[in-house]
Amino acid sequence: MASLNRAMVIGNLTRDPELRTTSTGRSVVSFGVATNHSWTGADGQKQERAEFHNVVAWGKLAEIINQYLRKGRKVYIDGRLQTSDWQGQDGLKRYRTEIIADNMVMLDRAPQGEGSYPSAGAGPVEQPTAINEPPIPVIQQDAPTPLETKTEEVPF
């Protein structure tokens, strides 16, 4: 039986990315993204609610995120959900659900004085959204090489 675990969010960073390195030398970054949901209540008044998402990225994607993203920047994140659990100091079981990022797209321009977007050699590039805007890079988490790609036939 097939299953699907995908998370796609567009929002703003709630804090600067925090880069760490594992004991094996692999880079990992964590940060938060806020999204908003708006609706009209039964009384006709507009309602709004913010959701806060914990995001983790690994490898080259982690290094790029750490280099180019800062608190407040608008970003698209595509990945999978992963929940961890542990025993708290108070003896209660704790849970944390995170988005493990596979892809990231920067959706705004870097503020004046911050670094520019990576060069075109960093990965595929989307078309600019307006005249005289630089292309927005699409950064993908260590994509498998053709030899690593697996295909599976699914009978219908």
Side-chain angles (χ1 to χ4, degrees):
M1 171 148 259
S3 64
L4 176 67
N5 179 357
R6 290 310 298 162
M8 296 179 283
V9 295
I10 295 176
N12 296 81
L13 268 69
T14 60
R15 63 184 187 272
D16 286 346
E18 300 171 22
L19 182 69
R20 297 178 308 281
T21 305
T22 65
S23 59
T24 61
R26 191 161 184 216
S27 298
V28 59
V29 72
S30 60
F31 58 98
V33 174
T35 58
N36 296 310
H37 174 68
S38 300
W39 72 95
T40 303
D43 59 358
Q45 296 294 318
K46 184 177 178 181
Q47 308 278 332
E48 190 166 340
R49 177 182 170 147
E51 289 290 332
F52 299 93
H53 311 277
N54 298 304
V55 183
V56 175
W58 293 86
K60 183 70 175 169
L61 181 59
E63 294 167 13
I64 291 169
I65 287 170
N66 185 62
Q67 183 176 0
Y68 293 101
L69 295 184
R70 294 291 171 258
K71 180 180 179 178
R73 298 290 304 271
K74 184 170 283 299
V75 67
Y76 164 81
I77 299 291
D78 173 27
R80 62 185 169 82
L81 295 175
Q82 180 173 297
T83 302
S84 304
D85 60 69
W86 69 94
Q87 192 82 18
Q89 291 182 352
D90 57 4
L92 296 175
K93 194 168 195 175
R94 306 283 186 197
Y95 297 91
R96 180 179 177 102
T97 300
E98 300 170 320
I99 298 172
I100 308 301
D102 293 323
N103 303 305
M104 179 272 295
V105 179
M106 294 173 267
L107 298 177
D108 61 1
R109 293 173 154 258
Q112 199 69 4
E114 288 191 24
S116 62
Y117 289 129
S119 66
V125 175
E126 291 185 355
Q127 293 300 314
T129 56
I131 297 173
N132 296 328
E133 282 192 19
I136 300 171
V138 177
I139 312 298
Q140 296 184 341
Q141 176 71 15
D142 307 324
T145 62
L147 295 176
E148 297 173 333
T149 304
K150 296 178 183 178
T151 58
E152 183 178 320
E153 291 186 28
V154 179
F156 289 96

